[in-house]
Amino acid sequence: MFKGIIKSTKNMLELGALIGKLALRQPTSTIPELDYSLGSDIIEKIHPESIRVKVSKIIEETSSTKTFRLMPVNGYLPPFRAGQYISLKLEINGVQTARPYSISSPPTNTGYFDITVRFMPDGFVSRYLCENVGVGDEFEISGPAGSFHYEPLTDTKSLVFLAGGSGITPFISMIRELREKNPGIDVHLLYGNRTPDDMIFEEELSETACQEDWFKMHIVISEPPEGYTGYCGFLDSNTISETVGDLSGKTFYVCGPIAMHHLCGSELDKLGVPSRRVKIELAGPPADITQVAGYPPDINPKEAFKVRVTFTGKENSPISLQASPHEPLLNSLERNRLKINNLCRSGECGFCRAKLVSGKVFVPPWVKMRASDLMMSYIHPCISYPITDIELLI
Amino acid sequence: MKEKRAVVVGAGLGGLTAAALLARNGFSVDLFEKNTTPGGYACSFVRGRFEFETSLHELSGLGPPQNRGSCYRLLEGCGVADKLTFLPIADFYSSVFPDFRVTIPHGWEQAEEAYAKQFPGERKGIKALLNWMRNIFKEFEFVASSEKITDFIQIPAKATNLLGTIGLTVEKALSREITDPKLKALFCDIWGYYGLPPSLLSFTLFAIANASYIQHGPHHIKGTSQALADAFVESIREAGGRVHLNNGVKKILIDDMKVRGVVTEQGDEYLADYVICNVNPVTTCLELIGTENVPGKYLDSLCKQRHSLSTFNIYMGMDCPATQLGLSGHELFINDGYDQDEHYRCTFKIGRQKYWVITNYNHADPEFSPPGTCVLVITAVVDGLPWMRIPPDKYFDEKNRMAREMLDAAEEVVVGLKEHIEVIEVSTPLTNIRYSSNPYGSIVGFDYSLLGSPVFKLSNRGPFKGLYFGSAWVRPGGGFEAAMSSGALAFREVLKDSKRSG
Ligand SMILES: Cc1cc2nc3c(=O)[nH]c(=O)nc-3n(C[C@H](O)[C@H](O)[C@H](O)COP(=O)(O)OP(=O)(O)OC[C@H]3O[C@@H](n4cnc5c(N)ncnc54)[C@H](O)[C@@H]3O)c2cc1C
């Protein structure tokens, strides 16, 4: 009891001393005083949300592919890691949309970002870019994003790049960077194309293969013209083991059409490559959702479902529209002039996340959803296909 | 009766709590969050086939079903408790020191036993220390639940232990009961949670927070802390509130020393009688109100406080179960030595740390990641300032250098770790700043030094009529439980004022 009183008296004395210090405003420790720098300036330099760029040059890579050189209007671009992408925001006939594009220039070029776009006859954005965009046009892009890059913390130094068609773009950035500074990495590129004419960056890659002993390349053609003497076929287990040889100690990177991602993924698994040695770039929506395992077979291809969208703060004026079950919901929303935040358009980043109030959507089985999204029924419209009438809250 | 309009700025835990309570008590509520997902630090992200918990290591104050703690009751009051599944964590913490390795269970007797087993000669002191903390906690719960004048006048008499701790650092308090420096180091080994070493940390805070873990047992949440945040959003919406994501607030409107409303990033004006800021008070004053409009006295009070530490995290999706790496518990605190001041000094440097923790999320939730895999996270508390001084083009290099050094350190404790990493993601204090706007990427707001103890924390009332704060930066402070309580305190102030004005 007595001890307790002494204790608390002592505490009171300490408290008194403390209040005294407070009054005199003496620092209680030796750490420098808070100067309230919020750090927003450095965040803006490393991870700007949006960058205004101007097309400064257009390079015709092949008959169907163009590179657009994007220069920052205010003169500054953030650093990025070779293999990362930006999201290009644009408005086409009143539709506000965006597409992710890998940066094809290397991080060592700090003055601009190149993106390389293949013209797709029915590609809404690629077609617009290739046909309508000229030097001097301005766009907003996101800051660089994505985890498809060399990871010095875990990746081995012997890399195998499996590229399909325009999936070469992240790799060309990595190869270009390695030509300028190579910390002891060797690369074997297997570049699959339908025909030899489809190859992008052919000259540069062949030249690199001749000049750099760390770089090897095999071109693999799936629909060879008559008399073609090069390697033919797909990037399957045969091709991989024949061209690469010993697979141990190698890290594999895969970027191309979705079908190729799935093929390479399962073939590498078959060959005994552990999953930690295989990196697959995000895929975007599949070319034909009806071919994806699990897609309900009874959906009528001509059917359109009713979508009712409520925006928070505008509860009294919900918007109704029709959406095809064969196309990602995000595209239908955008076509109806709705502006929806988005970045990866592959179901990973969560930027377009919306609450599914009622109805059902189909999501390809390879998309990893957050557990809480499943529990509380949130969807990523960029990779969700309506299969009933639905209601969304955004 | 006129509708009472409230705007909440920021959907961190403090903002979500305030919004849920306001909406459930008849206020018309608009909550604005600049990010795409709610939760602030309380969120998750996906890489490859893994989902990662961003922040939560251990949730305090929940308690088992038969004996719920204050945090659970708060979640109940917000209408979120029954939307969630809580996962009990068997032990309080495990420590690795150069010459011993100990697991401290929760429960007062169990904890005492574990400490005493390692340091049998100090059993008496350990018992006294734990008893003291238990009493402080009891008194704190009484003070925290006091609402009537008749309760308040009893505080000096009923809370002698609590009041007696106000001038005490953890180090001083511990020295009263125990002597072995190794025992002291073990006893406060989770100081990183509170962001200051024992020589600077408020014993008031340490006693209350540790007691909350010991008494109620730590928990995790099925679906990560993102599920917690999402459950709040559900509850707010059920009660008629509106949660605006992707739409931050860029200005708080002040007229004649009174709040008038806010202007959102999308350019809309929302008028309100009450604005509750979950955004930290520094950013609020500097950017949302403008320092020229804030009373000097209030800015002075901000300057008296110091920021707490931030974090450096390495998130790892592993291609093997944790047991294969010899990890069995929820988390391990690793110490290079016993001098915690030295460990603290090290946090001001970018590079290998002398004190860090590795957490295995599959321990509390075996379904946390796909079968045959696990998610491990290495966390080191570090100061944000050195990171803010890195030239932008050196950022990735510095981040990788520190991560490499930390992985080397981890490999010494968890042999085989590096060989099994399938997915890796590294966050720094700049990541914290980017997603929360908190100065220096602080994890628990202003620090928990003596001047920042729960008793001296900034008030939940802002410098203007109608402006309130509910976040880690104000009373009672930071951490999951405290940040939510802060939102509740802000709500209480709003309620008082709204009753007064009829
Ligand atoms: C790595 C890590 C581990 C942690 N581990 C634990 C743990 O195990 N146990 C524990 O109890 N605590 C832990 N914490 C601490 C705890 O997470 C925080 O103290 C608590 O979440 C803070 O909540 P808050 O309410 O202050 O909001 P914050 O999380 O700081 O969120 C603030 C919100 O305001 C938003 N915002 C900012 N500016 C604006 C604006 N202008 N308009 C609109 N919105 C805006 C932000 O986007 C953000 O969503 C940890 C923290 C970290 C970082």
Side-chain angles (χ1 to χ4, degrees), chain B residues 267-339:
Chain B
D268 299 317
E269 217 178 84
Y270 279 78
L271 298 183
D273 313 300
Y274 309 97
V275 171
I276 298 89
C277 263
N278 176 230
V279 184
N280 69 82
V282 181
T283 306
T284 302
C285 290
L286 262 61
E287 292 188 342
L288 303 185
I289 299 175
T291 36
E292 67 283 5
N293 303 319
V294 180
K297 230 174 95 189
Y298 192 76
L299 292 177
D300 263 1
S301 69
L302 290 182
C303 286
K304 275 191 204 132
Q305 309 269 341
R306 259 190 53 81
H307 65 278
S308 60
L309 291 181
S310 183
T311 47
F312 181 90
N313 292 288
I314 307 179
Y315 301 93
M316 296 168 288
M318 309 294 293
D319 73 356
C320 70
T323 43
Q324 194 177 318
L325 299 167
L327 288 169
S328 53
H330 173 67
E331 59 187 2
L332 265 185
F333 286 80
I334 318 290
N335 296 272
D336 276 9
Y338 300 91
D339 182 351

Side-chain angles (χ1 to χ4, degrees), chain B residues 217-232:
Chain B
H219 284 77
H220 212 272
I221 303 165
K222 186 89 186 159
T224 76
S225 58
Q226 188 69 64
L228 172 64
D230 285 335
F232 267 107

Side-chain angles (χ1 to χ4, degrees), chain A residues 164-237:
Chain A
S166 59
I168 190 71
T169 48
F171 296 126
I172 194 76
S173 173
M174 300 189 210
I175 292 165
R176 285 169 170 168
E177 181 182 37
L178 287 170
R179 281 192 83 163
E180 300 204 19
K181 52 167 196 193
N182 187 327
I185 289 171
D186 64 77
V187 172
H188 193 152
L189 168 68
L190 306 193
Y191 188 10
N193 278 285
R194 219 159 43 83
T195 71
D197 290 343
D198 288 336
M199 267 188 76
I200 316 175
F201 307 120
E202 183 179 8
E203 223 172 285
E204 185 179 347
L205 290 167
S206 307
E207 190 193 281
T208 312
C210 285
Q211 291 174 354
E212 309 281 348
D213 49 13
W214 53 264
F215 183 68
K216 254 196 294 193
M217 172 170 69
H218 276 89
I219 293 160
V220 183
I221 300 297
S222 63
E223 293 173 21
E226 228 167 282
Y228 184 77
T229 53
Y231 207 100
C232 300
F234 290 100
L235 297 181
D236 54 15
S237 53

Side-chain angles (χ1 to χ4, degrees), chain B residues 13-14 33 35 40-41 55 57-58 248-249 278 313 438 443 472 479-480:
Chain B
L13 292 173
E33 167 56 54
N35 290 339
Y41 286 145
S55 60
H57 290 235
E58 295 191 334
V249 159
N278 176 230
N313 292 288
N438 285 330
I443 60 168
F480 270 57

Side-chain angles (χ1 to χ4, degrees), chain A residues 85-307:
Chain A
Y85 67 85
I86 50 98
S87 164
L88 179 76
K89 302 165 199 176
L90 64 185
E91 188 176 320
I92 306 175
N93 306 328
V95 173
Q96 302 197 39
T97 185
R99 288 293 182 279
Y101 288 105
S102 301
I103 304 174
S104 55
S105 53
T108 37
N109 285 3
T110 50
Y112 55 83
F113 289 164
D114 280 349
I115 58 167
T116 302
V117 181
R118 167 160 290 170
F119 171 91
M120 305 292 234
D122 51 358
F124 182 55
V125 173
S126 71
R127 188 166 172 163
Y128 174 84
L129 286 174
C130 292
E131 288 180 345
N132 297 302
V133 169
V135 169
D137 288 358
E138 288 193 11
F139 295 96
E140 294 286 328
I141 61 172
S142 72
S147 10
F148 191 68
H149 54 77
Y150 177 67
E151 179 49 77
L153 297 171
T154 49
D155 291 352
T156 55
K157 292 208 157 184
S158 192
L159 317 181
V160 179
F161 293 168
L162 305 177
S166 59
I168 190 71
T169 48
F171 296 126
I172 194 76
S173 173
M174 300 189 210
I175 292 165
R176 285 169 170 168
E177 181 182 37
L178 287 170
R179 281 192 83 163
E180 300 204 19
K181 52 167 196 193
N182 187 327
I185 289 171
D186 64 77
V187 172
H188 193 152
L189 168 68
L190 306 193
Y191 188 10
N193 278 285
R194 219 159 43 83
T195 71
D197 290 343
D198 288 336
M199 267 188 76
I200 316 175
F201 307 120
E202 183 179 8
E203 223 172 285
E204 185 179 347
L205 290 167
S206 307
E207 190 193 281
T208 312
C210 285
Q211 291 174 354
E212 309 281 348
D213 49 13
W214 53 264
F215 183 68
K216 254 196 294 193
M217 172 170 69
H218 276 89
I219 293 160
V220 183
I221 300 297
S222 63
E223 293 173 21
E226 228 167 282
Y228 184 77
T229 53
Y231 207 100
C232 300
F234 290 100
L235 297 181
D236 54 15
S237 53
N238 277 338
T239 310
I240 295 170
S241 47
E242 270 177 42
T243 51
V244 180
D246 182 12
L247 307 182
S248 63
K250 297 199 156 62
T251 305
F252 292 80
Y253 288 70
V254 184
C255 183
I258 283 196
M260 181 193 138
H261 289 186
H262 294 153
L263 176 72
C264 292
S266 62
E267 297 290 275
L268 288 169
D269 190 43
K270 232 195 276 172
L271 290 167
V273 180
S275 53
R276 67 172 178 277
R277 294 277 164 254
V278 181
K279 305 183 126 184
I280 302 183
E281 174 60 312
L282 297 176
D288 182 357
I289 190 68
T290 61
Q291 298 304 306
V292 172
Y295 189 81
D298 50 348
I299 299 276
N300 172 356
K302 294 216 181 66
E303 205 163 357
F305 291 110
K306 276 197 220 103
V307 179

Side-chain angles (χ1 to χ4, degrees), chain B residues 420-457:
Chain B
H420 287 284
I421 304 173
E422 178 174 319
V423 175
I424 190 164
E425 190 69 50
V426 179
S427 79
T428 71
L430 296 186
T431 320
N432 286 8
I433 298 178
R434 179 182 177 198
Y435 289 108
S436 71
S437 303
N438 285 330
Y440 305 90
S442 296
I443 60 168
V444 289
F446 288 123
D447 73 11
Y448 277 125
S449 60
L450 293 183
L451 295 185
S453 85
V455 185
F456 291 119
K457 278 266 178 250

